[in-house]
Amino acid sequence: MSTDSDEMIIETEGVKVNFGDFWALKGVDIKVRKGEIIVILGPSGSGKSTYIRTLNRLQPHSAGTIKIDGITIDDDTTVSDLKYVRSEVGFVFQQFNLFPHLSVLDNISLAPIWVRKRPKAEAEQLARDLLERVGIPEQAEKFPGQLSGGQQQRVAIARALAHEPKFILADEPTGNLDYKTGSIVLNMLSDLVRENGRTMIIATHDREMG
């Protein structure tokens, strides 16, 4: 996706990650402008997920530089700077990673309450609005285990957007879905991100998304 903005909001140079003698990443250079949607395409095991997890320090990198919204992410990053970066990232996981003991409504409203300090009633209304946007408002009171895979991923998308982050990182967001459902979910995610001018990086092995 092209953008008129020249502001670089994500910059990585020479990023490497190793696990003992195995190098998952051997030097990744990427520059992402504000409002761009970038697809990282590659086969399973190529390091895509590892890379996007380095962007909010879920996975520490071994070498290279990472700068997110002007903040350098490394061992010396302050707790407050890392907290800020993570508060501005919405993560969509392949495995959904919903809290099984919480209702759909609570899963989505949790981040606005804890990250943005919104009142509970306001956060719950935002959650209901997002469920409407992703097409499953009737599932608000159910638990994740009562939903299909496609419905769970829709909830995961709503949760990622609920605290109004600057960035969306999507790790194989359709990896557990059939082709038709995956296409619907991906298009929905892309449309919601574009509407708000957010920046997104998608890691996928699916060539149809590239």
Side-chain angles (χ1 to χ4, degrees), residues 12 15-19 22-26 28 40 43-62 66 91 169-172 203-204:
T12 71
V15 172
K16 298 180 180 180
V17 173
N18 71 298
F19 303 101
F22 173 72
W23 288 88
L25 300 175
K26 296 183 178 180
V28 180
I40 300 175
S44 298
S46 60
K48 307 180 302 300
S49 296
T50 299
Y51 173 71
I52 65 171
R53 289 170 67 88
T54 67
L55 300 179
N56 66 344
R57 203 64 176 170
L58 287 177
Q59 170 60 58
H61 56 293
S62 309
I66 297 174
F91 213 114
L169 303 178
D171 182 12
E172 295 282 7
T204 181

Side-chain angles (χ1 to χ4, degrees), residues 4-20:
D4 294 331
S5 175
D6 291 326
E7 179 184 351
M8 291 296 178
I9 201 163
I10 298 174
E11 298 179 76
T12 71
E13 184 175 352
V15 172
K16 298 180 180 180
V17 173
N18 71 298
F19 303 101

Side-chain angles (χ1 to χ4, degrees), residues 58-150:
L58 287 177
Q59 170 60 58
H61 56 293
S62 309
T65 59
I66 297 174
K67 187 175 288 188
I68 308 295
D69 203 15
I71 295 174
T72 299
I73 304 298
D74 56 24
D75 291 337
D76 297 322
T77 305
T78 65
V79 172
S80 60
D81 279 349
L82 186 56
K83 183 178 179 180
Y84 165 76
V85 169
R86 287 178 172 170
S87 73
E88 294 298 341
V89 170
F91 213 114
V92 182
F93 297 88
Q94 177 179 353
Q95 301 293 341
F96 317 135
N97 282 25
L98 301 173
F99 295 112
H101 63 291
L102 296 181
S103 69
V104 165
L105 188 69
D106 287 341
N107 264 280
I108 299 170
S109 60
L110 201 62
I113 292 171
W114 288 99
V115 177
R116 301 302 186 200
K117 309 303 181 185
R118 290 197 176 200
K120 182 178 180 182
E122 183 180 322
E124 289 183 348
Q125 184 56 54
L126 173 63
R128 291 186 187 279
D129 290 344
L130 283 167
L131 284 171
E132 187 77 42
R133 296 298 308 281
V134 299
I136 52 170
E138 73 284 356
Q139 307 298 340
E141 310 303 332
K142 292 185 179 179
F143 290 86
Q146 298 174 287
L147 307 182
S148 68

Side-chain angles (χ1 to χ4, degrees), residues 175-188:
N176 284 328
L177 307 177
D178 61 75
Y179 177 78
K180 182 178 179 180
T181 304
S183 296
I184 293 171
V185 167
L186 181 67
N187 288 333
M188 177 186 304

